[in-house]
Amino acid sequence: MRTQDLIARKRDGRALAPGELKAFVQGVVSGDVSLPQAAAMLMAMVLNGLDDTETAALTFAMLHSGRVLELKLVSRYKVDKHSTGGVGDKVSLVLAPLVAAAGVPVPMISGRSLGHTGGTLDKLEAIPGFRTDLEADEFERQVARIGCAMIGQTAELAPADRILYGLRDATATVECIPLICASILSKKLAEGIDALVLDVKCGRGAFMKSREDARRLARTMVEVGRQLGKPATALITRMDEPLGRAAGNAVEVRETIACLRGGGPSDLMEVTYALGVEMLAAAGVGEDVADRRRRLESVLDSGQALDRFRALIEAQGGNPAVADDPDLLPRAGAVREVRYSGAQSAVVRAVDALAVGECAVLLGAGRKRESDAVDPAAGVDALVRAGERVEPGDVLCRLHAADTKRLDEGEQRLGDAFAFGDPEPAASLILERIG
Ligand code: URA
């Protein structure tokens, strides 16, 4: 069938067969399907949707558009985690060495900052010398040797996603659950894992603002994972406020090290342990939730998780001394404290994750355009958290940037990010489990 006939079918609201989706994806990679045709098809998909069978077929075709790693050198059950993106979400940096130290190999292929959300690769690259561009074979050998590796997508893995994602970004076709599912799963399943744990973020600082959308995305990814023979579990977690007290790159690596030393903020550790428990469960390690949590706490308390982080940094060319001396991380040229200007003592009711994320981008920690470079030292730290009391003049957060102009822009965006008054009763960040 000609490409224009396939586009017309989707335009008219009819389902595409697996073979048709495969032909479309292969054509995108070979160039037989032109970019205008691909863009038209994406828009038809956004407007008319894809059912679960089509979503699975599209994911399968995108997964097999490039190399699919097998990681034969790693004999044990391999599990990865993917987050749909949030503010201050440094969970992967803590979780990968933690779960590896607890005996489950974690091959992790991560992304860069997107919009107001941070990216694991940008954070790791704040560590002097750290390389995220390992070849697939190096990646495999490292997972076999130290139990974890964290790299960016290579040109060989899911090339269809690389083309389609760029096109979606330019054609307002990102916000579509089947397309998001196919994009995420095609990349994740190409890394040779046995199972996947998903952290679907929901709230003001997430791409999925409503619980209903988060649930639909989680269910779609779990179902498509099942259809493709890869067990997946999803936790829907609250992302109305930043996770932890830092959002940026080096500032988040500092907080990661604090977590691995046992001094991490409780919200960040709650999400990290919940996802870690799911990863151990997927690999069949531990008896029950309490036992899995104990195993994770034990490798954290004994310093084994920090040792694993140090080994990960060293294996990927970074300066391992950072794990013991975070002052070796880059420092910003300009730093400013934002203080509480009220006349009376008050309790912080909420901190707006979206405002903090956008402030971090303006400071230089994220990108306005794909081609922008990030500033490893830029970001926000020392953030107050909901429920904490502040006195007049207390620090609400600290901004780090290359110069005062950027500090001004970041501070202006913060606006009324901090709300004061009676806080909502503290609720769990883990809203729901789908698996
Ligand atoms: N992250 C991805 O990798 N793909 C999407 O489509 C959205 C978020």
Side-chain angles (χ1 to χ4, degrees):
M1 196 181 266
R2 296 178 318 153
T3 303
Q4 45 271 61
D5 297 328
L6 290 182
I7 298 169
R9 294 241 327 237
K10 195 31 81 185
R11 179 200 63 200
D12 296 340
R14 283 180 289 152
L16 296 175
E20 292 169 336
L21 287 160
K22 181 175 168 193
F24 169 70
V25 169
Q26 284 179 343
V28 166
V29 176
S30 68
D32 289 344
V33 171
S34 70
L35 291 182
Q37 287 178 317
M41 177 66 100
L42 289 170
M43 188 57 85
M45 288 174 166
V46 170
L47 296 178
N48 289 321
L50 296 168
D51 62 28
D52 279 353
T53 308
E54 289 177 288
T55 308
L58 178 67
T59 308
F60 187 80
M62 285 168 61
L63 164 65
H64 290 283
S65 67
R67 183 171 167 194
V68 180
L69 302 182
E70 290 184 53
L71 302 190
K72 285 199 172 127
L73 294 178
V74 189
S75 51
R76 276 171 300 152
Y77 204 84
K78 302 164 276 296
V79 186
D80 190 11
K81 185 271 312 188
H82 178 82
S83 158
T84 56
V87 177
D89 182 3
K90 73 273 309 160
V91 168
S92 289
L93 275 69
V94 185
L95 191 62
L98 180 69
V99 169
V104 176
V106 183
M108 190 178 274
I109 296 184
S110 303
R112 298 200 175 272
S113 68
L114 189 66
H116 66 279
T117 66
T120 298
L121 297 181
D122 297 321
K123 294 171 201 183
L124 288 168
E125 287 174 0
I127 300 170
F130 197 100
R131 282 180 54 213
T132 57
D133 61 349
L134 306 188
E135 294 295 331
D137 298 337
E138 254 182 296
F139 175 69
E140 176 168 3
R141 281 198 301 276
Q142 184 177 314
V143 178
R145 192 164 60 81
I146 65 168
C148 55
M150 300 174 84
I151 64 167
Q153 194 186 354
T154 75
E156 306 165 297
L157 303 179
D161 179 62
R162 191 186 294 272
I163 301 168
L164 290 176
Y165 193 86
L167 210 48
R168 285 168 60 210
D169 205 21
T171 57
T173 50
V174 172
E175 290 86 352
C176 168
I177 285 175
L179 294 181
I180 295 174
C181 167
S183 167
I184 292 174
L185 288 190
S186 64
K187 283 180 290 221
K188 282 284 158 181
L189 302 188
E191 63 190 20
I193 47 173
D194 297 304
L196 181 62
V197 173
L198 296 153
D199 179 5
V200 178
K201 299 267 178 227
C202 169
R204 264 193 76 66
F207 291 114
M208 299 290 133
K209 306 285 182 215
S210 77
R211 182 86 167 258
E212 201 35 56
D213 279 350
R215 194 178 283 139
R216 278 205 303 137
L217 176 60
R219 284 201 179 130
T220 306
M221 290 199 287
V222 167
E223 171 57 20
V224 168
R226 192 191 64 75
Q227 288 194 31
L228 300 190
K230 295 289 172 190
T233 317
L235 296 184
I236 299 180
T237 67
R238 199 150 52 80
M239 178 32 75
D240 290 317
E241 312 211 19
L243 262 186
R245 295 186 186 274
N249 299 308
V251 289
E252 291 202 43
V253 175
R254 258 186 216 111
E255 195 167 44
T256 297
I257 295 165
C259 291
L260 291 169
R261 286 182 169 169
S266 56
D267 59 339
L268 182 54
M269 293 315 296
E270 180 192 356
V271 175
T272 303
Y273 279 129
L275 292 163
V277 162
E278 292 293 339
M279 291 171 82
L280 296 198
V285 170
E287 303 296 316
D288 52 23
V289 171
D291 178 46
R292 292 179 188 116
R293 167 102 185 206
R294 257 195 312 274
R295 285 170 188 252
L296 294 168
E297 285 172 348
S298 146
V299 292
L300 191 120
D301 293 344
S302 66
Q304 287 166 273
L306 181 63
D307 289 346
R308 207 56 73 105
F309 187 59
R310 199 183 291 106
L312 170 84
I313 296 174
E314 186 160 28
Q316 294 191 217
N319 180 0
V322 158
D324 305 292
D325 182 4
D327 284 344
L328 295 170
L329 289 163
R331 292 224 167 248
V335 179
R336 179 179 299 164
E337 287 171 339
V338 176
R339 291 178 182 272
Y340 171 56
S341 59
Q344 314 274 337
S345 148
V347 175
V348 179
R349 183 161 53 79
V351 181
D352 178 352
L354 180 61
V356 172
E358 289 182 351
C359 162
V361 174
L362 291 171
L363 293 172
R367 295 179 174 78
K368 291 181 207 152
R369 279 176 302 274
E370 206 187 338
S371 54
D372 288 350
V374 301
D375 174 354
V380 185
D381 71 356
L383 274 162
V384 287
R385 308 232 318 265
E388 290 177 347
R389 178 166 287 281
V390 286
E391 303 297 331
D394 276 359
V395 173
L396 298 174
C397 70
R398 200 164 43 204
L399 310 181
H400 304 251
D403 52 49
T404 52
K405 183 168 166 284
R406 282 196 176 255
L407 289 181
D408 291 342
E409 286 173 6
E411 185 172 4
Q412 200 171 14
R413 175 62 191 93
L414 271 186
D416 50 9
F418 300 95
F420 302 93
D422 288 337
E424 310 260 319
S428 170
L429 291 176
I430 317 300
L431 299 173
E432 209 169 311
R433 176 183 187 278
I434 292 175

